Amino acid sequence: MWNSTKATRLLDIEYPILQGPFGGGLSSVALVTTVSKAGGLGGFGAYTLNPQEIYEIDKQINAATGKSYNLNLWVSDTDAVDGKVTDEQYQQAEQTFQRYFEEVGIPFPEKPAPFRSRFENQLQVVLDIRPKVFSFMFGLLPADVLEQFRKAGVKTAGAATTLDEAIALENSGVDMIIASGFEAGGHRPSFLASAEASTTGTFVLLQLIREKVKTPVIAAGGIANGRGIAAALTLGADAVQIGTAFLATDESNALPIHKQMLFSDAARYTMLSRAFTGRLGRGLTSRIGRELAGKEGHLPFPLQTTLMSSLRKAALDQQKWDMILFWGGQIAPVVKHKKAGQLMQSLIDETNQYFNDLKA
Ligand SMILES: Cc1cc2nc3c(=O)[nH]c(=O)nc-3n(C[C@H](O)[C@H](O)[C@H](O)COP(=O)(O)O)c2cc1C
């Protein structure tokens, strides 16, 4: 049976289908529990949450379903040296972005306060609550931390955008590797070379990793239906991770306009941009993204997000959609379902159908 793989046995789930975690407030308990109840693995992105909020989310998910789920953090959550913005960076950002603030009629923000990494505290909570699965991106975890997870019975998965990163993750001792192709929506989780220099597509990356690495691989990026799942499994994936298609469902925490955009013709065009957060991420092509393509002048992550927050709010209030980056992957135009349960069922049915037709 196609749905029995190394990953499903390791994770004790029925189908090798993971709902990609979304950081920045876009995950929801409803989405996680719907996917986990349907036999997949729901994922909750928690990198912006404080420890208390993570405890609370875990409680809510456990109360709604006794099923496994995946909690996700970012190993590296800032690019700012000492968490600070320098005067020079601030002036450059002002030069680059001030005109957009003028356009929506609001003042250019003060220099953002220094950012303190939250990862160490968050990690402690994960070790405490012991979700069935802990996935992470933007780096490696030290061997002693992975050992603690192993002892606690938590399975780990790290994201790779290149073969080198997959080999580094395998050497570190993770249980699974997420092959994150550049088609995917959201941030590019590169950690050895720059994200701009790590733009391999999912199906090439998957095959490169499969040749050199023994750790089970989860294909992520550009998969949104049964044919995509069948293709990934055929190329050697042990599971798939689907983001954009789940982001578009009613159950996700994305704004209604975000979901509307994902189902519109605007979703035909996506781009990678650093202009909105300071790190490279894929969303629907927007005017600011286009105008600033390849240009410097943004603050280091996540202080660029802080800088842009009032602009984003004003643009939303004024319905200036072309000034916002709505996260989404290249596969968005293929996405059909608005209910996460229906999406799961159709993913399962289509994959069943595909493999049955092959046998017939
Ligand atoms: C809005 C958005 C936020 C995301 N946030 C995270 C995150 O915090 N951590 C993570 O590991 N992956 C994150 N991802 C990646 C997804 O979990 C998933 O791997 C990816 O979306 C799969 O590609 P697809 O969008 O083509 O389906 C995010 C993706 C999107 C679209």
Side-chain angles (χ1 to χ4, degrees):
M1 284 297 283
W2 66 270
N3 62 310
S4 175
T5 70
K6 276 188 204 159
T8 55
R9 291 188 287 274
L10 195 66
L11 302 175
D12 197 19
I13 53 176
E14 207 177 334
Y15 297 100
I17 302 173
L18 282 71
Q19 170 250 315
F22 308 123
L26 299 178
S27 285
S28 79
V29 171
L31 182 55
V32 171
T33 54
T34 302
V35 174
S36 286
K37 276 184 187 164
L41 187 76
F44 199 101
Y47 89 93
T48 57
L49 302 187
N50 65 38
Q52 203 45 48
E53 290 167 326
I54 301 177
Y55 280 119
E56 196 45 48
I57 292 294
D58 179 64
K59 234 198 276 173
Q60 289 176 26
I61 294 174
N62 287 330
T65 166
K67 299 262 183 187
S68 311
Y69 79 100
N70 164 30
L71 192 64
N72 175 271
L73 291 175
W74 293 21
V75 169
S76 148
D77 61 356
T78 181
D79 296 328
V81 179
D82 295 328
K84 289 184 192 146
V85 172
T86 64
D87 289 341
E88 197 189 341
Q89 286 170 333
Y90 180 67
Q91 280 152 18
Q92 272 179 3
E94 194 168 10
Q95 270 179 17
T96 309
F97 291 94
Q98 189 170 31
R99 59 190 166 121
Y100 300 114
F101 288 81
E102 276 168 17
E103 191 179 328
V104 295
I106 59 169
F108 190 73
E110 304 269 303
K111 192 156 113 176
F115 176 83
R116 273 174 182 276
S117 172
R118 292 176 274 220
F119 179 64
E120 291 299 321
N121 288 341
Q122 293 168 329
L123 193 61
Q124 203 45 55
V125 183
V126 185
L127 281 164
D128 209 21
I129 62 182
R130 302 180 185 192
K132 176 79 180 189
V133 185
F134 170 57
S135 73
F136 56 93
M137 65 176 193
F138 284 115
L140 301 170
L141 283 175
D144 63 309
V145 174
L146 285 174
E147 186 53 31
Q148 288 181 62
F149 278 118
R150 220 179 336 273
K151 281 192 183 140
V154 177
K155 305 293 178 207
T156 52
T161 63
T162 60
L163 175 59
D164 288 353
E165 289 173 355
I167 291 171
L169 281 162
E170 174 161 270
N171 291 341
S172 76
V174 293
D175 295 312
M176 290 162 296
I177 293 168
I178 299 160
S180 170
F182 104 133
E183 302 92 327
H187 284 98
R188 303 299 308 133
S190 304
F191 61 93
L192 288 181
S194 72
E196 284 83 350
S198 309
T199 53
T200 308
T202 305
F203 284 164
V204 171
L205 184 60
L206 171 60
Q207 292 174 82
L208 299 189
I209 295 176
R210 197 66 293 169
E211 286 225 334
K212 301 281 180 204
V213 161
K214 294 197 171 60
T215 309
V217 181
I218 299 162
I223 300 168
N225 55 27
R227 282 183 172 266
I229 295 173
L233 295 177
T234 304
L235 291 175
D238 297 285
V240 299
Q241 178 161 285
I242 296 179
T244 298
F246 281 111
L247 186 68
T249 62
D250 290 345
E251 286 82 353
S252 95
N253 225 7
L255 292 172
I257 179 64
H258 188 164
K259 293 173 189 173
Q260 218 174 299
M261 294 296 273
L262 287 171
F263 284 112
S264 77
D265 282 350
R268 292 184 196 171
Y269 311 99
T270 69
M271 70 181 301
L272 289 165
S273 174
R274 283 186 184 266
F276 297 84
T277 70
R279 280 189 180 167
L280 198 69
R282 184 177 296 284
L284 308 193
T285 301
S286 77
R287 178 166 54 89
I288 295 185
R290 238 186 0 250
E291 285 172 1
L292 300 181
K295 291 199 183 124
E296 290 295 317
H298 53 79
L299 299 182
F301 181 88
L303 296 158
Q304 179 66 13
T305 315
T306 314
L307 185 87
M308 295 293 270
S309 59
S310 61
L311 177 67
R312 180 182 158 81
K313 183 175 180 313
L316 283 170
D317 289 347
Q318 297 170 30
Q319 306 198 347
K320 292 191 167 161
W321 313 134
D322 64 347
M323 300 182 82
I324 295 166
L325 186 76
F326 290 109
W327 300 112
Q330 291 181 334
I331 200 69
V334 164
V335 169
K336 287 191 206 73
H337 294 280
K338 297 198 171 168
K339 289 277 170 214
Q342 282 169 11
L343 170 59
M344 264 307 281
Q345 198 51 53
S346 92
L347 292 170
I348 294 164
D349 291 347
E350 285 173 13
T351 316
N352 269 332
Q353 179 78 42
Y354 184 82
F355 282 115
N356 283 340
D357 285 353
L358 270 192
K359 274 192 245 150

